[in-house]
Amino acid sequence: MAPVPGSGLAKGLAVTLRTMTKKTVTEQYPDTQPELPPRTRGVIGLFEENCTVCMLCARECPDWCIYIDSHKETVPAATPGGRDRSRNVLDRFAIDFALCMYCGICIEVCPFDALFWSPEFEYAETDIRDLTHERDKLREWMWTVPAPPALDPGAEDPKELAAARKAADKLAAQQQPDRPGQPDRPGQPDRPGQPDRPGQPDRPGQADQSGQPDRPGQEDRP
């Protein structure tokens, strides 16, 4: 069936009329803060305690907007005769958000979970040079990072959790006795079913292994 001429125009005008009659809802920012999705990419927060200065985030950054400085310190041995160790100490961790393109590669490649996305977006500056934020500011944004979402009830447990449970069950099995509630009793043989009864002397008339009874008063015949 051929379309009626002008039906498309009529449908378009109907949509326009329905939209014009609806009430407009405008969020009065900044008096009303917007409700952001949980995975909003605002700024990057730094959890400094987890950073080992591996430089992996700075090397993988496509824009080279992460600046890290560190020095080495000697850690004395914990036991006498042990060898001293050296560790990296973080001096500077800065991100130039004027260059950052919010790709999230630095957060994905961090092996120690030191970088997180924060939904904070109010960090505008009047000078572009002030968009390079140091680790103190990045640490403040860490407290605005939302909690991770709950796991799907039907999802599998993480590998780390499964490995920890397996190790705990193995340790608990090693600490338990072979037969709980049944202490070892003297006189019991290793093989069940053949008890050893000490304190019971041989009674006259009791058959030995050959099946012949032991009769008192009869000497052994040659």
Side-chain angles (χ1 to χ4, degrees):
M1 182 177 179
V4 179
S7 59
L9 179 61
K11 291 181 180 180
L13 292 175
V15 172
T16 302
L17 291 175
R18 286 198 302 268
T19 306
M20 292 176 60
T21 55
K22 288 183 179 180
K23 182 180 179 180
T24 303
V25 178
T26 303
E27 294 183 353
Q28 302 296 328
Y29 178 82
D31 298 334
T32 303
Q33 294 293 328
E35 295 183 2
L36 301 176
R39 300 183 65 182
T40 299
R41 297 187 176 185
V43 291
I44 299 174
L46 172 65
F47 192 56
E48 188 175 340
E49 285 75 4
N50 288 356
C51 182
T52 60
V53 200
C54 64
M55 304 293 294
L56 192 58
C57 57
R59 290 196 300 265
E60 296 296 331
C61 179
D63 294 333
W64 293 87
C65 62
I66 301 178
Y67 311 107
I68 300 176
D69 293 332
S70 65
H71 69 278
K72 290 185 177 293
E73 286 185 357
T74 302
V75 180
T79 58
R83 187 176 62 179
D84 296 342
R85 298 181 298 106
S86 62
R87 67 173 181 177
N88 294 323
V89 179
L90 184 65
D91 293 331
R92 185 194 182 198
F93 195 107
I95 299 179
D96 188 358
F97 287 98
L99 298 177
C100 180
M101 63 180 184
Y102 305 92
C103 63
I105 293 178
C106 58
I107 298 176
E108 296 294 333
V109 301
C110 180
F112 302 104
D113 292 336
L115 298 175
F116 297 88
W117 278 119
S118 168
E120 185 68 30
F121 63 92
E122 297 175 327
Y123 58 97
E125 302 290 346
T126 57
D127 192 347
I128 193 174
R129 291 172 294 183
D130 295 335
L131 286 176
T132 302
H133 296 287
E134 301 292 335
R135 65 177 183 174
D136 296 336
K137 188 65 175 178
L138 300 178
R139 179 58 184 267
E140 294 179 4
W141 283 329
M142 184 63 202
W143 308 118
T144 62
V145 174
L151 296 178
D152 189 354
E156 297 181 356
D157 292 336
K159 295 181 180 180
E160 296 82 2
L161 183 58
R165 288 178 178 174
K166 184 177 180 180
D169 295 341
K170 184 177 180 181
L171 182 61
Q174 292 177 355
Q175 293 178 353
Q176 291 180 356
D178 296 338
R179 295 179 180 179
Q182 297 182 1
D184 296 337
R185 291 180 290 180
Q188 286 189 348
D190 296 337
R191 292 179 296 177
Q194 298 180 0
D196 185 10
R197 299 177 181 177
Q200 295 183 0
D202 295 338
R203 293 178 294 177
Q206 187 177 6
D208 55 7
Q209 294 180 357
S210 61
Q212 297 179 359
D214 186 5
R215 297 178 181 178
Q218 293 183 358
E219 298 179 355
D220 296 338
R221 298 180 180 180

